Amino acid sequence: MADLTLRPAEDVDAAAIGAIYDEGIAGGNATFATGVHDAAERRAWLAARDERAPVWVAEHDEAVVAWGALAPVSHRPWYHGVAEYTVYVSESGRGAGVGRVILETLVAIAPGHGYWKLVGMILPENTAGLRLAAGCGFRQVGIHRAHAQAAGRWRDVALLELHLTEEISG
Ligand SMILES: CC(C)(COP(=O)(O)OP(=O)(O)OC[C@H]1O[C@@H](n2cnc3c(N)ncnc32)[C@H](O)[C@@H]1OP(=O)(O)O)[C@@H](O)C(=O)NCCC(=O)NCCS
């Protein structure tokens, strides 16, 4: 998709971020999260995030078409350099390279937020999510079997990782 603008999310983006998140949840293969995420809920979610948990949006024609976020994987201090990424593209914007641009942006900003590694936790049925990660250089390091339940069914989760520093990459 041409003419994408990438920028940190603002309060005013809350409704669009929530609507895009809900589309992803409805697809059934993106997340274990449930529920509906309206503007008020997402505004609170945005407000609770700090320097270590950035959220970025992609705009096209002045409309938010995707968002991505980083969050620390653990409160344990020795894991402080490891973040999990999240990428959600609006249904109508998928398959046009937007997810790729968002994930590349997260990879680019992550070191500035103190991260040395990104991990992705993707349901194995999420073909687009797996291909997106692979295209951005992530490698699959394993599969958690029956990691959590969605709609009463145990689901596996593929674990992906990308080292961000030359010292440990390769
Ligand atoms: C996963 C998701 C973010 C991908 O975003 P996107 O903008 O559609 O992806 P892109 O167009 O950048 O394509 C990325 C790769 O996925 C592939 N892809 C995209 N849609 C696909 C589909 N429906 N089936 C198979 N592969 C697909 C592309 O071909 C590309 O692979 P390539 O680099 O090998 O050619 C998007 O489908 C989405 O928002 N899904 C719901 C939320 C989710 O599952 N997020 C991932 C977990 S955080």
Side-chain angles (χ1 to χ4, degrees), residues 24 30 86-89 94-100 122 126-129 131-132:
T86 304
V87 178
Y88 282 80
V89 178
R94 291 182 196 163
V98 178
R100 175 78 176 247
I122 307 292
N126 189 347
T127 312
R131 284 190 59 174
L132 170 63

Side-chain angles (χ1 to χ4, degrees), residues 52 54 69-73 79-87 102-121 133 136-141 159-165 168:
R52 301 268 297 148
L70 298 177
V73 296
Y79 292 137
H80 74 271
V82 186
E84 182 181 349
Y85 73 84
T86 304
V87 178
I102 288 270
L103 187 50
E104 285 176 349
T105 300
L106 295 177
V107 168
I109 67 165
H113 292 269
Y115 293 114
W116 63 67
K117 179 195 276 194
L118 294 188
V119 299
M121 298 185 72
C136 289
F138 284 74
R139 70 186 181 107
Q140 187 169 316
V141 292
L159 185 59
L160 305 146
E161 71 173 16
L162 178 70
H163 286 117
L164 303 171
T165 68
I168 49 177

